[in-house]
Amino acid sequence: MFEIRKSKDRGSANYDWLNTNFTFSFNGYYDPKFLGFRSLKVINEDFLKGGGGFPFHEHKNMEIITYLVSGVLEHKDTLGNSAIISSGEVQLMSAGAGIKHSEFNHSKIDDVHLLQIWIEPNEYDKPPAYQQKNYNNSSDKLLLLASANGERSSLILKQDVKLYRAILSKDENISYKLKKERHAWIQLISGKLLINDSVILSSGDGLAITEGEILNFKGDELNNHFLIFDLC
């Protein structure tokens, strides 16, 4: 079963330094139909203006993935990490018993475009941890970014989830086998996507898939960039 979450129907907030869209209920935005999907709780699409950012704040018991679409982000946290995250890089914080961090646009001029993703862990109050990886050297059309056991050198999640990045050219195809009793969320970052010859997604759209099947993806624009969450 497929259910489309249209980009235009997402929640949003606009500040001097931030424009953001909420796929699921978040902070002051509430939609009882979209409280998350399985263990996937947050997909916020953020556009941070030059010099803007989030001062130190705390998280607990959440797997927090920052996926950089464009721009450069500065990160600092109470574990002592001080990092620069660039386009094509992925950051994973396992907040565990508690971690404080800040995120700021490294540029005073250019915007940063990112997805912030929260996944509920399968164990709680563990020591917090930090991971970061650059995937710019990969030419894989379907690339595993994170998984529970770190397979294929992916980041290690404290949850039974596989997160993939896919990039297709126009008319290019890939397939993905979603196993029986698994579920998937597709988030289209840019472009236009045809799924199983029946579902069309446009930039910013999401798609919930509630039972396993073969998924066929076809790019419909020059650059079609999306994420696949394979969830228990």
Side-chain angles (χ1 to χ4, degrees):
M1 180 177 177
F2 291 175
E3 182 179 5
I4 298 176
R5 174 63 154 159
K6 297 298 293 181
S7 176
K8 65 180 179 61
D9 296 330
R10 294 180 294 177
S12 64
N14 297 307
Y15 308 100
D16 288 341
W17 56 277
L18 170 70
N19 292 332
T20 183
N21 297 292
F22 310 125
T23 294
F24 304 116
S25 296
F26 187 81
N27 283 351
Y29 169 68
Y30 177 76
D31 185 332
K33 294 182 180 179
F34 292 94
L35 301 176
F37 182 71
R38 313 298 294 181
S39 59
L40 178 59
K41 301 303 179 185
V42 168
I43 302 178
N44 291 350
E45 185 176 23
D46 293 341
F47 297 87
L48 282 173
K49 296 182 180 179
F54 302 92
F56 267 93
H57 57 285
E58 187 173 24
H59 296 285
K60 289 185 177 180
N61 292 319
M62 197 64 69
E63 300 291 283
I64 299 173
I65 298 168
T66 301
Y67 182 87
L68 259 288
V69 181
S70 63
V72 181
L73 194 69
E74 293 183 24
H75 165 92
K76 293 182 180 180
D77 64 44
T78 48
L79 296 181
N81 296 299
S82 180
I84 299 296
I85 312 165
S86 301
S87 174
E89 291 191 279
V90 182
Q91 175 204 78
L92 170 57
M93 285 195 311
S94 297
I99 186 171
K100 291 183 179 179
H101 76 127
S102 65
E103 294 174 308
F104 279 88
N105 188 338
H106 187 60
S107 170
K108 301 298 182 184
I109 301 171
D110 299 321
D111 284 0
V112 165
H113 180 193
L114 63 92
L115 296 184
Q116 185 162 109
I117 298 155
W118 293 10
I119 295 173
E120 186 175 2
N122 55 17
E123 53 184 4
Y124 300 93
D125 296 325
K126 298 295 183 179
Y130 180 90
Q131 302 168 69
Q132 181 177 334
K133 189 165 183 177
N134 189 321
Y135 291 97
N136 281 309
N137 291 329
S138 175
S139 59
D140 292 353
K141 295 298 179 182
L142 183 63
L143 176 66
L144 183 62
L145 302 177
S147 65
N149 58 10
E151 63 184 274
R152 289 184 244 166
S153 300
S154 59
L155 301 173
I156 300 173
L157 278 166
K158 290 182 171 64
Q159 183 53 271
D160 183 9
V161 172
K162 291 183 179 180
L163 171 59
Y164 294 86
R165 180 204 71 187
I167 299 176
L168 300 180
S169 301
K170 185 173 175 60
D171 295 328
E172 190 169 20
N173 294 272
I174 59 169
S175 295
Y176 184 78
K177 184 178 181 180
L178 185 64
K179 293 181 180 179
K180 185 179 179 181
E181 298 180 356
R182 299 288 292 185
H183 310 266
W185 184 275
I186 313 301
Q187 188 67 37
L188 183 57
I189 297 169
S190 62
K192 196 171 184 179
L193 199 61
L194 178 63
I195 302 174
N196 287 9
D197 295 321
S198 61
V199 176
I200 297 174
L201 298 185
S202 298
S203 180
D205 289 352
L207 178 68
I209 303 167
T210 53
E211 57 187 37
E213 63 175 282
I214 301 296
L215 302 173
N216 297 300
F217 302 94
K218 181 179 180 181
D220 196 45
E221 292 186 357
L222 292 178
N223 183 60
N224 306 278
H225 184 181
F226 59 101
L227 300 180
I228 301 172
F229 298 84
D230 184 328
L231 305 141
C232 62

